[in-house]
Amino acid sequence: MISVLTSLAPLLCGGLLAVTGAAKLFGRRTAQLAANTVLVRVLGNGHRATAALRTVGAAEVLIAAALLAAPEAAAPGVATALLGAGFTGYLAYARATAPESSCGCSARDEGPIGWRSFTRAGLVVLGGLAAVAADRTWWSRIDGDPLPSAVVVVVAAAVLLALSSDLDQRWLVPLRKLRLRLFGTPLGRPPRGGDARVPVAASVELLENSLAWQAASPVVRSALLDHWDDEGWRILRFTGVYEDKRGARPVNVLFALDLTATIDNAPAPAVRVSVVDDITEEPIDVGHLTPVLRPVLPLAG
Amino acid sequence: MSHDHESAGRGRLDRRRFLTTAALGGATIVGATALGGIDADAAFAAPMPSLDPAISKSAFAEGRITAINGSVLEVAGSYGDQHLIQLTNATSVWKLRPTTAEEIKVGDGLYARGVDMPDGTIAADAVWVNIVNLFCTVQGIAKDRLHLTHGNNHAVVGRIVAETTTASYLGGALTSDLSRVRIGQSAQVLGAWRPDDDTVDIARVTVGH
């Protein structure tokens, strides 16, 4: 089996490099792809990065042609291994310095650099070394052992497809959907019986849709600063500036809501509002904080 | 050290106790309105004429934090501009959840709203750290993450954070029940970007809207 693998390595590596190289060399989106890679920063601008990516693509195509045409020669295999080592080094550099950049490895791969990119580059190195060790041409091997050769080619193609994100939509997403259908969602449901705690974000959402919020909004300046639960109440603390005849002073604006209320179960929430002077800690009488109702604009037609 | 922590903790509890009493003594206002708020996702909301004349004087800054000097953040804006953001005791800090200024790190992205000061700094009323708002498609669901794509098929990993990540379905209230998210759905994800590994901690995922 090992000898089947080594003698078919030039075919497999050649096929892979021909596809990825041609896509980089002739692809219409190479410039767009290059713009997202770390090459832009290394080379100074997008044009040079595009040229570099196209050059690499041309090299891949040349090596692929050599691998396919002269599988028994050592040079194409060595060149493949060196190319793979270069890819690995480039990926490691890009991952370390700009993890959010795209790898630009295959024409449509826009994801961040992950284990798939590294595995693929590693396989190119191994494939190159295997090609050096090839003792027969790939066509004579296919001629001699058609069944094992077919198995190796199919398995290798499946591995390469799994390592590329280009075709995820075709096989990975349907597979994930099937798994969810068979085994259910991995995300936990809250316990039945409505015991689930109302998230703070839901209380804030309710507050921000309340008349109390609208009434206090001229005073509030910050976003949510602190929150805690106490005896069935959820207290939300904001800071703000209160202005009256004595001038402007920093204040805490406190809202108290029912701990279990959300926009689903409390269409007209009762919210307690109080404003406390931040320095003297004296409550400020806000009895005159009346909601300013926005006039409803007339509808057209 | 632990004694300090304990007394600081007790002081905080005492203060909360005092503020609770004050909060429950306040006026009760009943009713709902369609007006939105100024929290987390409002960082992205279109500017709306405010009811308060002071708010129109608000300054706004965004960029990456290049240095932190005490309570002043040096921010390099996305368009080559520079900002100095002054944090105060009254500044709210959001980083996936309401938190404190200690959580802010150099290299974080930031949106800040505040007031221009005469010395050229911005006294921040509110800062949102690493906040992102993405329109995505759900591509996969795992126990602790959502696989998402946005824009031109760009893959993003959204981490699910226990007791923080919430979901809203069909305009319903935010809930910690994430089990109704489906593969293939369009989703709006509000969260905090993690510069270390380029993933996003999800604060809120909105689907079916």
Side-chain angles (χ1 to χ4, degrees), chain A residues 29 32 36 95 99-102 108 110-112 165-166 169 172-173 176-177 179-180 185-190 196-202 204-205 208-228 230-231 233 235 237-240 243 250 252 254-256 262-264 266-274 276 278 281-283 286-287 289 291-292 294, chain B residues 12 15-20 22-42 48-52 54-55 58 64 89-94 98-99 113-115 125-126 128 138-147 149 152-156 160 163-166 168 171-184 193 195-198 203-204:
Chain A
R29 290 187 50 231
Q32 198 182 339
N36 293 328
R95 168 98 194 160
E100 72 275 13
S101 68
S102 165
R108 290 159 59 199
E110 286 219 35
S165 61
D166 293 354
Q169 286 292 343
L172 186 59
V173 171
R176 283 171 173 167
K177 276 188 182 168
R179 198 182 62 191
L180 288 190
T185 176
L187 302 175
R189 268 169 232 273
R197 236 177 110 260
V198 168
V200 174
V204 173
E205 181 185 35
E208 291 181 348
N209 283 296
S210 72
L211 220 49
W213 175 257
Q214 200 176 327
S217 61
V219 181
V220 175
R221 298 292 284 270
S222 75
L224 181 64
L225 213 83
D226 193 11
H227 61 87
W228 62 93
D230 198 335
E231 293 174 6
W233 293 93
I235 316 290
R237 179 165 82 92
F238 295 75
T239 58
E243 281 184 271
N252 282 293
L254 300 158
F255 299 93
T262 67
I263 56 167
D264 285 349
V271 182
R272 293 197 180 181
V273 188
S274 49
V276 179
D278 194 39
E281 303 218 316
E282 281 171 14
V286 289
L289 265 190
V292 186
R294 295 207 149 193
Chain B
R12 199 162 114 109
R15 181 155 170 78
R16 280 184 169 179
R17 192 63 242 170
F18 162 75
L19 290 172
T20 301
L24 297 182
T28 304
I29 301 178
V30 181
T33 165
L35 269 190
I38 55 167
D39 214 57
D41 53 338
M48 197 169 61
S50 172
L51 301 168
D52 173 16
I55 299 290
S58 281
R64 290 286 285 273
N89 284 340
T91 306
S92 65
V93 179
W94 183 98
T99 181
R113 180 171 49 69
V115 180
D125 289 326
W128 291 271
V138 180
Q139 302 288 359
I141 300 173
K143 205 169 171 54
D144 59 350
R145 59 189 59 201
L146 296 181
H147 297 277
T149 52
N152 200 349
N153 211 19
H154 194 100
V156 180
I160 293 164
E163 295 184 10
T164 300
T165 303
T166 57
S168 166
L174 290 168
T175 163
S176 48
D177 174 13
L178 302 175
S179 64
R180 283 180 276 158
V181 176
R182 296 276 172 272
I183 291 176
W193 170 60
D196 297 342
D197 56 5
D198 201 35
R204 171 193 307 183

Side-chain angles (χ1 to χ4, degrees), chain A residues 7-283:
Chain A
S7 51
L8 289 180
L11 174 66
L12 298 170
C13 287
L16 173 68
L17 292 179
V19 170
T20 56
K24 282 192 202 101
L25 184 58
F26 304 114
R28 273 191 235 158
R29 290 187 50 231
T30 301
Q32 198 182 339
L33 211 76
N36 293 328
T37 64
V38 74
L39 291 173
V40 177
R41 209 188 50 214
V42 175
L43 298 174
N45 67 41
H47 292 297
R48 284 188 214 154
T50 311
L53 215 53
R54 287 202 197 276
T55 311
V56 172
E60 285 177 41
V61 171
L62 281 179
I63 293 174
L67 276 172
L68 292 175
E72 281 177 307
V78 172
T80 308
L82 288 178
L83 191 67
F87 285 159
T88 313
Y90 157 76
L91 288 174
Y93 173 75
R95 168 98 194 160
T97 57
E100 72 275 13
S101 68
S102 165
C103 89
C105 332
S106 75
R108 290 159 59 199
D109 194 356
E110 286 219 35
I113 295 161
W115 65 272
R116 282 169 153 189
S117 318
F118 280 104
T119 313
R120 210 166 33 198
L123 282 183
V124 172
V125 176
L126 288 180
L129 296 178
V132 173
D135 52 356
R136 285 168 69 177
T137 60
W138 53 269
W139 54 83
S140 72
R141 173 65 71 181
I142 291 176
D143 220 25
D145 307 299
L147 195 65
S149 303
V151 170
V152 165
V153 169
V154 168
V155 169
V159 167
L160 290 178
L161 276 186
L163 287 175
S164 146
S165 61
D166 293 354
L167 293 175
D168 278 0
Q169 286 292 343
R170 298 279 174 81
W171 68 274
L172 186 59
V173 171
L175 195 70
R176 283 171 173 167
K177 276 188 182 168
L178 182 70
R179 198 182 62 191
L180 288 190
R181 194 164 299 156
L182 292 179
F183 303 111
T185 176
L187 302 175
R189 268 169 232 273
R192 288 203 179 267
D195 197 30
R197 236 177 110 260
V198 168
V200 174
S203 299
V204 173
E205 181 185 35
L206 178 70
L207 171 69
E208 291 181 348
N209 283 296
S210 72
L211 220 49
W213 175 257
Q214 200 176 327
S217 61
V219 181
V220 175
R221 298 292 284 270
S222 75
L224 181 64
L225 213 83
D226 193 11
H227 61 87
W228 62 93
D229 299 344
D230 198 335
E231 293 174 6
W233 293 93
R234 175 159 286 162
I235 316 290
L236 303 171
R237 179 165 82 92
F238 295 75
T239 58
V241 176
Y242 184 76
E243 281 184 271
D244 60 7
K245 282 170 287 198
R246 288 160 54 200
R249 10 184 194 151
V251 291
N252 282 293
V253 186
L254 300 158
F255 299 93
L257 294 89
D258 182 342
L259 190 52
T260 59
T262 67
I263 56 167
D264 285 349
N265 60 22
V271 182
R272 293 197 180 181
V273 188
S274 49
V275 177
V276 179
D277 191 306
D278 194 39
I279 296 160
T280 64
E281 303 218 316
E282 281 171 14

